[in-house]
Structures are given as structure tokens and as C-alpha cells.
Amino acid sequence: MAGHTENEITIAAPLDLVWDMTNDVERWPQLFSEYADAEVLSRQGDTVTFRLTMHPDENGKVWSWVSERTTDRDKLTVTARRVEPGPFEYMNIRWEYEETPDGTRMRWTQDFAMRPDAPVDDAGMTDIINRNSPVQMALIRDRIEQAADERRTSPVTPA
């Protein structure tokens, strides 16, 4: 049985700002609390290949993997997959963005399967993702809304 998660949040900020900040992979360590480092390995068109490194877990283990992410600004979607799946047989991710009267809705869908020798099974990873994604999304929302507020209140200097 494979795992599947869907999580979403509305961010009170313009779509362009949400898109730009959430797709700036190099700055993910400042956007997410779980990433210690994000290293871009290559770019080809709208596709970026990068290594993510997490902060050490409760046992001191540092998890790291390579992912590939392709943005489609016209369709307001991003598709990603782990190139180095680690404990996953596969991990496919889709991010969708939508303008709403309240700001920008961001939705994350993850489809995956764990390897038989992984530390957790599909159900266990589904629970982990469903606990962690709302925490990370709320943090991202707060950081983007703060950036939006700073842009609205910064003084305009004449040209």
C-alpha cells in the first residue's frame, strides 16, 4: 500500500510573493525550520536539482537527499521527485497555488511508498507528514505574511 497526503494553507499575501519565496530553493533553510542546508546542484530551464539536508533528528542522525523540482508558472504548479529516495521506494510531490479572496492557497500533495527496510511503513510516514506539513506550512505562512507586511509598510523612495 502506498502513502498519500494532502495539506493546504491560505497565505494572506500576493500570489507572486508566495510563488517567489516558496520556489527559491536556496533560501529554504530560512523558510522551513527542518532544513539545515539546500544546495542547488544544477538548473535546466524550469527544473532545479538540489540536495536538502535536515537538522539532526532526536537520535543525532542527519538525513539528506537529492530532489528534482520543476515549476510551471503558467499552471501555478510544481512537481518534484526524490532522485535519491533514501528510505522511500519513491516520493512524488505536487505543489499547487491558487489566488483566493483571502490571499494565496498553497496545497501540497505527496505520493510515496516506503522501502521494506525503512524505519517506518507507509502508514507511519503518512502520519509523520500529516503532522509535520501543517507545522511547516504555518511557519511558511507566517514568514511570507511578515515579508508582505514589510513590503506594504516600507517607505517609498523617490526615483
Side-chain angles (χ1 to χ4, degrees):
M1 181 179 149
H4 175 83
T5 65
E6 294 180 22
N7 290 277
E8 68 178 49
I9 196 164
T10 298
I11 302 169
L15 173 65
D16 287 339
L17 180 61
V18 175
W19 179 270
D20 291 345
M21 287 184 71
T22 59
N23 288 296
D24 185 354
V25 172
E26 291 96 338
R27 295 192 43 83
W28 278 8
Q30 289 80 49
L31 198 59
F32 292 80
S33 64
E34 60 191 348
Y35 300 136
D37 190 42
E39 176 190 4
V40 171
L41 303 174
S42 69
R43 290 185 188 278
Q44 186 171 358
D46 293 327
T47 300
V48 60
T49 303
F50 58 98
R51 174 171 294 284
L52 282 177
T53 303
M54 297 184 77
H55 294 287
D57 66 16
E58 62 278 358
N59 300 316
K61 171 123 174 89
V62 174
W63 296 92
S64 180
W65 63 90
V66 173
S67 288
E68 181 181 87
R69 180 175 174 85
T70 303
T71 58
D72 185 331
R73 184 65 171 88
D74 293 336
K75 293 182 180 175
L76 299 176
T77 61
V78 178
T79 54
R81 67 180 184 89
R82 283 193 178 195
V83 177
E84 292 177 0
F88 295 90
E89 285 184 22
Y90 65 89
M91 167 61 89
N92 297 316
I93 303 168
R94 180 176 176 86
W95 289 21
E96 298 170 279
Y97 301 79
E98 179 185 357
E99 280 188 288
T100 72
D102 298 322
T104 303
R105 181 177 303 122
M106 182 175 66
R107 177 186 183 98
W108 296 348
T109 303
Q110 293 171 278
D111 290 297
F112 59 90
M114 303 306 295
R115 290 189 352 214
D117 61 342
V120 296
D121 61 11
D122 294 342
M125 184 54 71
T126 298
D127 289 343
I128 290 168
I129 292 171
N130 280 331
R131 277 194 315 270
N132 188 51
S133 289
V135 170
Q136 294 302 312
M137 289 178 129
L139 184 60
I140 290 166
R141 177 200 59 214
D142 294 349
R143 290 176 174 170
I144 294 174
E145 287 178 355
Q146 179 181 355
D149 287 344
E150 289 169 1
R151 287 182 180 195
R152 281 192 286 267
T153 60
S154 64
V156 176
T157 56

